[in-house]
Amino acid sequence: KMLFYFLQNFSANGFVGSHLCRALQSRGMAYRAVVREGAQANPGTAGLVRLPSLDAHTDWTTALQDATTVIHLAARVHQVQDTSADPLQAFRAINLHATLQLARCAQEMGVQRFIFVSTVKVLGEETAPDQPFRAGDPALPLDAYATSKHEAEQALRALVAGGSMELVIVRPPLVYGPGVRANFASLVRVVRRGIPLPLACVHNLRSLVGIDNLVSLLLRCTQHADAGGQNFLVSDGHDLSTPDLVRQLATALGQPARLWPVPLAGLQLAARLTGRQAAVQRLCSSLQVDISATCQGLQWAPPVSVAEGLRRMVADMDGTP
C-alpha cells in the first residue's frame, strides 16, 4: 500500500481532517494522522502521531517516515475576535512558516507529492456577476488570513522548483457538512428556530463545497498523474443565492423558509449601525468559482449534490442517520 499522510487541524478535532481520515479508512488506504499533543483524536483514527507544537522548528521525522504523500490541512483560520497584537504575523507563524518547515522536511525525506489546502480568498473576497474566479486568475488577498495563505503558496512553489516533490494547491470556498461550526452552524440554528431573515431581496450567487466533495477531490489529487504542479478550485458545481441557501436548509429541516424583503440599502445601513458590515457583505455579495478546469484536468465531478450535502449536515446536527 502507498502511505498517505495528512495533517489534521491543530485546533482540537480537524473538521476536514476527520472526514478525510474516515474516507481513507473506508477505502483501506494506509495513512498516518498527526494531531497536537492533548488534542482529542477521532475514535478509530489509525496511525496517530502527536506533536507538541506546529511551528517553524517542528521535527517531522517520525511523522513523515516512509510517507509518499502529504495532505496539509492545518491552519490558523479567521478569528472572530482576534486579540493578536500583530494578526498578520500570527497567521504567518502557522500558515507560512510552519507550513514551509513541514514542506522542507517532506522534501528531504523523499515525499513525492505535497497537497496544500489553501483558500479561494487568495483570489479575493467577491466576484462580479457571471465572472467567477478561475484557477489562473491573479491573486488579490485582502485580509491577513488570505495574505498568509498566498505567501505560503508562493514560498512552496519556490521550494519545490527544480526538485522532485510535486506541489498541488487546492483552494476551497466555504466548506460545510456534518460537524461544521461557526457561521454556517449559526445559520442552521436560525433557520431551525423559524427566525425571519431579511434576505429576500438579495440576488447574489455563492459557491460552496460540501465536505464529501472536498474529500473526494483531495483523494483524486493524491492519485491522478496530472495533478502535480497544478492549482485547483473546488465547489459543489452548483452555486446558490443566500435566499436559496436558506430555502434549501429549510427543506432539509422540514420546515418553511421565513424570508422577508428588506432593500439592500436598508441591510447595509443596519450593518453599519451594528458594526456587522463584514457579515452582511458576505451574505449579500457574490463569490463564484469555475471548477471546469478541475473537472476536466482530473476527470472528476462532485459526487454529492448540494441538497444531499445539506441533508447530511442537518441530519448530523439532529443526531439522526
Side-chain angles (χ1 to χ4, degrees):
K1 291 179 180 178
M2 292 181 67
L3 178 65
F4 292 98
Y5 159 79
F6 77 86
L7 180 68
Q8 274 191 291
N9 192 323
F10 266 51
S11 59
N13 228 357
F15 171 48
V16 179
S18 59
H19 284 270
L20 177 59
C21 186
R22 285 193 286 270
L24 290 166
Q25 286 179 219
S26 70
R27 289 163 174 78
M29 300 167 77
Y31 70 92
R32 189 176 297 136
V34 177
V35 295
R36 184 176 53 194
E37 284 182 0
Q40 180 182 354
N42 294 292
T45 300
L48 194 66
V49 174
R50 294 184 180 275
L51 292 177
S53 64
L54 176 65
D55 55 37
H57 308 289
T58 302
D59 182 358
W60 293 97
T61 306
T62 300
L64 290 171
Q65 195 68 43
D66 301 321
T68 59
T69 302
V70 170
I71 302 178
H72 180 44
L73 301 171
R76 184 180 195 266
V77 297
H78 175 68
Q79 310 290 304
V80 176
Q81 292 182 319
D82 200 331
T83 57
S84 303
D86 188 339
L88 180 54
Q89 287 306 113
F91 280 110
R92 281 173 171 157
I94 301 296
N95 299 348
L96 173 59
H97 302 305
T99 295
L100 267 184
Q101 171 68 0
L102 170 58
R104 287 191 204 98
C105 294
Q107 192 172 53
E108 290 168 2
M109 295 189 68
V111 167
Q112 297 165 17
R113 183 169 287 182
F114 190 99
I115 300 170
F116 178 58
V117 179
S118 183
T119 172
V120 72
K121 285 163 66 72
V122 162
L123 299 177
E125 294 290 335
E126 60 182 86
T127 54
D130 299 317
Q131 294 184 37
F133 287 134
R134 293 177 172 83
D137 285 350
L140 187 64
L142 295 177
D143 65 13
Y145 167 64
T147 297
S148 68
K149 283 288 196 176
H150 178 229
E151 291 173 348
E153 289 186 8
Q154 293 176 301
L156 288 169
R157 289 192 192 99
L159 177 69
V160 303
S164 60
M165 187 171 74
E166 296 178 330
L167 174 65
V168 182
I169 295 172
V170 177
R171 295 167 171 165
L174 179 66
V175 186
Y176 68 92
V180 73
R181 298 170 186 151
N183 292 337
F184 213 106
S186 299
L187 179 61
V188 174
R189 287 192 292 270
V190 168
V191 176
R192 184 195 301 276
R193 292 171 186 161
I195 298 172
L197 292 167
L199 302 172
C201 293
V202 174
H203 301 290
N204 64 342
L205 284 173
R206 295 189 75 87
S207 298
L208 309 172
V209 63
I211 186 63
D212 294 315
N213 290 335
L214 177 57
V215 166
S216 171
L217 180 78
L218 292 174
L219 292 179
R220 181 59 60 94
C221 287
T222 68
Q223 299 167 316
H224 200 286
D226 296 333
Q230 302 296 316
N231 300 333
F232 295 110
L233 296 173
V234 59
S235 78
D236 291 331
H238 179 75
D239 300 338
L240 296 173
S241 69
T242 301
D244 282 340
L245 174 60
V246 171
R247 293 184 189 103
Q248 293 253 17
L249 285 172
T251 298
L253 289 162
Q255 60 186 51
R258 291 178 169 85
L259 293 160
W260 50 286
V262 173
L264 202 55
L267 282 177
Q268 292 167 339
L269 174 60
R272 284 196 298 272
L273 294 175
T274 58
R276 296 183 177 179
Q277 294 98 318
V280 171
Q281 180 67 10
R282 284 193 296 272
L283 286 170
C284 298
S285 64
S286 292
L287 197 163
Q288 295 177 268
V289 299
D290 181 350
I291 63 168
S292 58
T294 300
C295 296
Q296 293 163 12
L298 297 177
Q299 291 79 54
W300 176 84
V304 178
S305 69
V306 175
E308 175 61 16
L310 293 174
R311 188 200 68 78
R312 293 179 185 180
M313 179 184 68
V314 167
D316 177 74
M317 291 178 172
D318 288 339
T320 58

